Amino acid sequence: MKSDFYTAISQIAAERGIPKEAILDVMEKALITAYKRTLGTNLPPMEVTVRLDPQSGAAVVYAEKQVVDDVLDERFEIDIADAQKVKADAQLGETIMVESTPHDFGRIAAQTAKQVVLQGIKEVEREYIYGEYMDREGELITATVQRMAKGNVILEMGKAEAILPPKEQVDNDRYYHGQRLKVYLMEIRREDRGPRLIASRTHKQLIMRLFEMEVPEIYNGTVEIKSIAREPGLRTKVAVAARQEGIDPVGSCVGMRGIRIQNIVNELNGEKIDVVQWSVDPKDFIANALSPAQVVEVHLNEDEHAALVIVPDKQLSLAIGKEGQNVRLAAKLTGWRIDIKSATALLEEERASSEARGFAEAEQMQTEAELSHARVEHRKVRPDGTVMYQNHRYGPLGNELVGETIQLRATSQKLYIYDRDRLIASYILIEGEGDNEEEE
């Protein structure tokens, strides 16, 4: 019949999910500490071992003692005659391991080692929890809401607890005791108080893991998720591509009658998900990313990594989305800065630009005609770097021209200033009376 001690150890091991051997090891270390406390303080370095019978719980202490011919301190010394009973060839001055179990050690150990044993078991439990989850970072975990604490949601995951911090919570989610959630195990921190498991409901890798769970083609690698753009609780865009010919990547993710994508949407409490076809051609990819809007044309600016997208007039608001959400997610998904214009707006801009170019060209031709007939006048640059024309000062032209003679030509709108037939400045003509100084 098994002893009460063995039964208790087995029960602790079962409840905590740790091996019995680990608990016995912790208890032996605790009993060593208890024995050393019975010896007093300021102990010299000495080896002590405790052997614990796993069936009866009886503890036997072996302590290191020095062999002497005259014992002064029985705690650390042993007479040579007694030593040779333990070890036949024992010599003076050497140290041997001797059974040193105190008569009342069972009571002393129970009183002294209780807290040490409990603390040791807790440390073993923490180590096993850390060992169990350290390789699961980045996985999808099913957890149960246990309680709320200072804005954090405390989740129960088997024998471990995880924390869902406020910044990793989705605004649309409502958490209550006993609720089962799928969370992304984002980080495992090893702290003094034990492993700290940080979970997330906002991480975009949560979307990746949910698709792997619901879509066999993604799990086995025949369909690949190329990129994900997410605004947690509102909308997500996922770009997918087939690695095998004959497979429809978007159809695989959506599933028959949309059942696969609907399961993911339900898990995310109604968050909208757009699955789009990835393409190696940026134009096609950008057009697909703006789904469900239709795209007429895409113009790329490689230098600025920007794209101008033309959509039908009726599709403009759909392409932009509520508060710019659709185009913002499309930009994150593709990595391109996207500017959207309707077809009509683009035509109007091109017409206005053409008119502006025509006006500028006509103005330039008029200016050139006036200059060709304008009278050339000479002026000397004043000490302050200016020149006088029709009683008005123009400049400054620079200290290097002070005292130099320059040429002036005037049109109906501007005054052009030349130095050795090279245009150096132009000014809009000033109307009205000026300084009334003599012009040279």
Side-chain angles (χ1 to χ4, degrees):
M1 183 175 177
K2 294 180 179 178
S3 67
D4 292 340
F5 176 82
Y6 183 87
T7 303
I9 293 296
S10 299
Q11 183 177 352
I12 292 172
E15 289 176 354
R16 306 281 180 162
I18 53 181
K20 294 189 290 292
E21 293 75 12
I23 297 176
L24 290 171
D25 183 60
V26 168
M27 294 187 70
E28 288 175 358
K29 290 178 181 177
L31 292 175
I32 290 173
T33 302
Y35 173 76
K36 287 184 176 180
R37 286 178 181 173
T38 65
L39 300 179
T41 58
N42 299 323
L43 299 178
M46 63 182 298
E47 184 180 346
V48 177
T49 61
V50 173
R51 294 178 185 171
L52 194 62
D53 188 326
Q55 296 294 330
S56 65
V60 180
V61 180
Y62 294 88
E64 187 179 51
K65 292 187 179 183
Q66 186 175 21
V67 179
V68 296
D69 57 3
D70 186 14
V71 176
L72 299 178
D73 192 333
E74 292 183 350
R75 296 178 301 170
F76 314 117
E77 297 173 342
I78 184 173
D79 183 80
I80 187 169
D82 293 333
Q84 289 175 345
K85 292 178 183 178
V86 177
K87 183 182 177 185
D89 58 348
Q91 301 293 323
L92 288 173
E94 73 171 304
T95 56
I96 62 172
M97 297 298 292
V98 181
E99 183 184 346
S100 307
T101 309
H103 296 299
D104 58 349
F105 186 64
R107 180 184 61 81
I108 294 172
Q111 292 175 349
T112 310
K114 182 178 179 181
Q115 282 303 112
V116 181
V117 170
L118 291 175
Q119 181 61 33
I121 290 174
K122 286 181 181 179
E123 290 177 359
V124 170
E125 183 180 16
R126 289 170 185 162
E127 287 299 315
Y128 273 85
I129 290 173
Y130 181 78
E132 180 182 354
Y133 284 96
M134 66 180 293
D135 295 329
R136 302 187 66 185
E137 189 173 298
E139 288 188 11
L140 184 69
I141 305 289
T142 300
T144 304
V145 176
Q146 193 177 73
R147 65 184 187 279
M148 302 288 292
K150 297 180 180 179
N152 297 309
V153 179
I154 309 302
L155 303 171
E156 183 179 331
M157 301 192 314
K159 299 184 183 301
E161 280 189 353
I163 295 176
L164 189 64
K167 67 177 183 179
E168 301 301 330
Q169 299 171 20
V170 177
D171 293 339
N172 295 349
D173 284 351
R174 296 294 176 266
Y175 305 102
Y176 54 88
H177 177 72
Q179 179 185 9
R180 289 177 66 80
L181 291 173
K182 286 185 172 62
V183 296
Y184 178 74
L185 189 54
M186 186 174 66
E187 183 183 358
I188 302 174
R189 300 176 189 167
R190 193 167 189 171
E191 300 181 353
D192 293 338
R193 296 176 62 183
R196 188 179 183 89
L197 279 58
I198 311 297
S200 174
R201 286 276 292 176
T202 62
H203 204 289
K204 68 179 183 181
Q205 286 298 311
L206 174 66
I207 305 295
M208 173 78 81
R209 299 292 174 255
L210 288 172
F211 269 89
E212 288 175 348
M213 182 182 71
E214 292 291 340
V215 183
E217 290 85 351
I218 290 179
Y219 183 79
N220 62 33
T222 55
V223 173
E224 179 185 5
I225 293 180
K226 287 289 191 176
S227 61
I228 299 173
R230 187 184 184 200
E231 292 189 0
L234 300 175
R235 192 168 194 165
T236 292
K237 285 184 180 287
V238 181
V240 294
R243 287 181 168 179
Q244 186 175 317
E245 288 186 12
I247 292 180
D248 175 12
V250 175
S252 299
C253 294
V254 173
M256 186 72 70
R257 297 180 182 177
I259 187 65
R260 291 176 176 176
I261 199 71
Q262 191 58 49
N263 289 339
I264 298 174
V265 169
N266 292 342
E267 178 60 41
L268 298 174
N269 292 329
E271 182 175 319
K272 294 180 181 178
I273 299 179
D274 298 331
V275 182
V276 303
Q277 173 85 45
W278 179 84
S279 175
V280 68
D281 185 346
K283 290 184 178 181
D284 291 340
F285 187 23
I286 291 168
N288 295 339
L290 286 167
S291 173
Q294 297 175 359
V295 172
V296 175
E297 199 172 354
V298 177
H299 299 279
L300 300 181
N301 184 334
E302 299 281 356
D303 294 336
E304 297 182 6
H305 208 63
L308 173 62
V309 179
I310 313 304
V311 298
D313 292 4
K314 293 182 179 180
Q315 296 279 312
L316 182 61
S317 59
L318 184 62
I320 295 173
K322 185 179 180 181
E323 298 178 351
Q325 184 187 77
N326 193 55
V327 67
R328 187 166 58 248
L329 284 173
K332 289 180 182 178
L333 190 72
T334 61
W336 286 75
R337 182 167 57 84
I338 299 175
D339 185 21
I340 297 180
K341 294 188 184 299
S342 67
T344 300
L346 182 67
L347 287 173
E348 290 177 352
E349 284 187 6
E350 289 180 349
R351 186 182 299 114
S353 177
S354 178
E355 290 177 354
R357 285 196 301 270
F359 178 78
E361 290 172 0
E363 186 178 30
Q364 178 66 21
M365 290 176 64
Q366 182 181 352
T367 299
E368 290 176 357
E370 289 189 45
L371 283 174
S372 66
H373 296 88
R375 184 167 63 92
V376 178
E377 300 186 27
H378 295 82
R379 295 284 189 277
K380 186 173 287 188
V381 179
R382 300 165 60 86
D384 60 0
T386 63
V387 293
M388 295 295 298
Y389 182 75
Q390 295 182 352
N391 297 330
H392 291 284
R393 297 187 186 202
Y394 294 89
L397 301 176
N399 294 333
E400 69 277 4
L401 293 176
V402 171
E404 297 291 331
T405 299
I406 58 174
Q407 303 87 42
L408 306 181
R409 287 183 184 179
T411 65
S412 58
Q413 301 292 330
K414 283 187 176 182
L415 174 67
Y416 294 84
I417 302 175
Y418 299 84
D419 178 32
R420 299 179 182 87
D421 297 323
R422 181 175 61 88
L423 180 66
I424 59 173
S426 64
Y427 299 95
I428 295 175
L429 289 173
I430 303 172
E431 297 181 358
E433 296 184 359
D435 296 338
N436 199 23
E437 296 186 23
E438 182 181 353
E439 297 179 7
E440 297 179 9

